[in-house]
Amino acid sequence: MDDPSLAPGAEVAAAAAASTAAEVTAAASVEPSQLAPDASSSANAEDERFALLMSIGEECIQTNELSLLLQNKEKPSPICYDGFEPSGRMHIAQGIVKTINVNKMIRAGCRVKIWIADWFAQLNNKMGGDLKKIQTVGRYMIEIWKAAGMNLDGVEFLWSSEEINKRADEYWTLVMDIARRNKVKRITRCCTIMGRADNEELTAAQIFYPCMQCADIFFLEADICQLGMDQRKVNMLAREYCDDIKRKDKPIILSHHILICHYMLPGFKEGQEKMSKSDPSSAIFMEDDEAQVNLKIKQAFCPPNIVEGNPCLEYIKYIVFPWFERFEVVRKEKNGGNTTFLSMDDLTADYASGALHPADVKPALAKAINEILKPVREHFNTNKEAKDLLNTVKSFIVLSKSVTACEEFNPDIHSFAEISMYDCR
């Protein structure tokens, strides 16, 4: 398609020109040759590119394969594959961490293909299986990433419904071959990629889903699968398929901390292992206003001296430090005075010792998060097309207090914050 950020028959608004977003984009547009004083083919540059990509993932399968890929002169710009199902509101983890990771991949000299899995969302019954609604949500999510500062110079947004129809014979032949070579039990083990338990009763469409996602990797000619840890099973299925067909070059799996279906950042409440769309106070959403962010963080579980399982410290580690490369604390002299942490290790050491108190952490965290979200808020407040798109998304997100009792969202009755109090169907 002429503009890869357009859904079939729909237009995406231009991204806002915000200073923070511009700085992030500028930082991401470094060419591979600029990563070291010598040419991009130098060992030093390869090491820096390798380190940059490894900083994205908690796991790499396999590191030696990634190193060889970056040394391959015939493939100076490896293809990284990422994807998402358009389905309701966007957590800050999906909005900001994806922006950070995509920009790192581009800095490392990669091309990034982001697969807008509209057909997959329909298979998984998102937005009630309404494809037009799913595509509208997809456009809204792209708007968020653009406003947040994702560098689009090296990114292709590809809609699964369009691309598969363009090359249907190639795609479905691949899907059928993957399905033919695997038992149902092996495929159902992959169903966690959809946020489903492997022992859950599934529709036939949901059983077919993993075969299609596995095919996507080869269809998009991906060298690197850059997805969340919850997608690991289907990525491994792709590597196993390479063994079955005697293919030498396997896709490299670079799994990051944040899950696609269930975000691994903990919720803000005590004992809440994951953020939840069903509890709006458990997470920061990309359109939350400043007051909402301040209140959620003020009320967040943040026990003194306890680092493990502390949601505020997790936000600092996975959101604030990768964005700003520092964490600034403003406090009175009698409480230790202002300080700037340049590493998470230093911050956690001070917190564990009691030198850094929750009353120091929370205001600093709220300030940092609000600064990150400011360009996104401004974009949706000032850009008419983006605002209209957001209002459209508001108008058809389903509010469901139970499976049987639901109502359409009415912007005149419900605030957008209330959307997350219910399951998006």
Side-chain angles (χ1 to χ4, degrees), residues 285-356:
F285 295 92
M286 291 299 291
E287 305 87 5
D288 279 351
D289 61 34
E290 187 172 347
Q292 288 173 319
V293 170
N294 291 341
L295 181 61
K296 288 178 181 181
I297 294 176
K298 182 180 180 180
Q299 296 176 342
F301 178 63
C302 190
N305 308 101
I306 304 299
V307 172
E308 191 70 26
N310 188 319
C312 291
L313 299 191
E314 292 280 295
Y315 265 72
I316 294 169
K317 180 177 180 179
Y318 290 105
I319 303 289
V320 179
F321 261 112
W323 191 268
F324 294 110
E325 298 183 342
R326 66 186 185 278
F327 184 69
E328 297 180 348
V329 174
V330 177
R331 56 189 174 183
K332 295 177 181 179
E333 285 297 327
K334 67 178 183 179
N335 294 327
N338 298 347
T339 186
T340 299
F341 293 97
L342 300 178
S343 77
M344 193 65 197
D345 287 343
D346 290 343
L347 187 149
T348 53
D350 272 17
Y351 193 84
S353 71
L356 184 65

Side-chain angles (χ1 to χ4, degrees), residues 39-209:
S40 61
S41 59
S42 70
N44 192 22
E46 287 165 6
D47 289 344
E48 292 186 33
R49 293 173 70 195
F50 179 84
L52 197 55
L53 289 172
M54 287 297 293
S55 72
I56 293 171
E58 288 200 337
E59 177 186 65
C60 178
I61 303 174
Q62 300 280 350
T63 54
N64 63 314
E65 293 175 14
L66 178 60
S67 182
L68 290 172
L69 175 65
L70 297 178
Q71 295 171 34
N72 188 346
K73 305 300 186 292
E74 295 181 1
K75 198 168 277 190
S77 300
I79 295 173
C80 293
Y81 150 68
D82 199 346
F84 70 97
E85 277 187 11
S87 58
R89 292 191 77 185
M90 185 185 285
H91 289 293
I92 191 172
Q94 189 178 15
I96 297 304
V97 176
K98 190 182 290 288
T99 297
I100 291 168
N101 288 347
V102 166
N103 289 354
K104 282 183 177 181
M105 289 185 276
I106 293 171
R107 284 176 59 199
C110 298
R111 290 167 51 208
V112 180
K113 293 184 178 181
I114 297 182
W115 193 236
I116 309 172
D118 51 353
W119 265 6
F120 292 77
Q122 187 176 38
L123 285 174
N124 206 12
N125 203 34
K126 297 298 176 67
M127 307 306 296
D130 188 318
L131 188 61
K132 289 185 178 179
K133 289 182 179 180
I134 289 167
Q135 289 171 343
T136 300
V137 174
R139 298 199 308 276
Y140 141 82
M141 296 176 94
I142 293 171
E143 282 298 299
I144 288 178
W145 287 316
K146 289 164 69 175
M150 183 180 286
N151 179 13
L152 301 183
D153 290 343
V155 175
E156 280 185 275
F157 286 107
L158 301 170
W159 295 82
S160 65
S161 56
E162 264 202 357
E163 299 303 315
I164 291 170
N165 278 332
K166 283 180 185 176
R167 296 153 55 198
D169 55 342
E170 178 186 345
Y171 185 82
W172 294 114
T173 299
L174 184 56
V175 171
M176 287 189 293
D177 193 48
I178 291 167
R180 185 178 63 84
R181 293 173 185 271
N182 287 278
K183 303 296 183 185
V184 172
K185 188 174 180 180
R186 177 66 183 92
I187 297 303
T188 55
R189 285 203 340 252
C190 293
C191 287
T192 52
I193 65 175
M194 299 178 285
R196 311 284 178 179
D198 55 13
N199 61 352
E200 186 177 339
E201 187 173 356
L202 303 169
T203 66
Q206 288 166 336
I207 292 175
F208 209 52
Y209 186 120

Side-chain angles (χ1 to χ4, degrees), residues 223-239:
D223 300 300
I224 300 170
C225 298
Q226 196 281 302
L227 298 167
M229 286 293 290
D230 63 336
Q231 307 297 297
R232 186 182 189 277
K233 289 181 180 179
V234 77
N235 290 336
M236 289 303 297
L237 180 67
R239 289 178 64 89

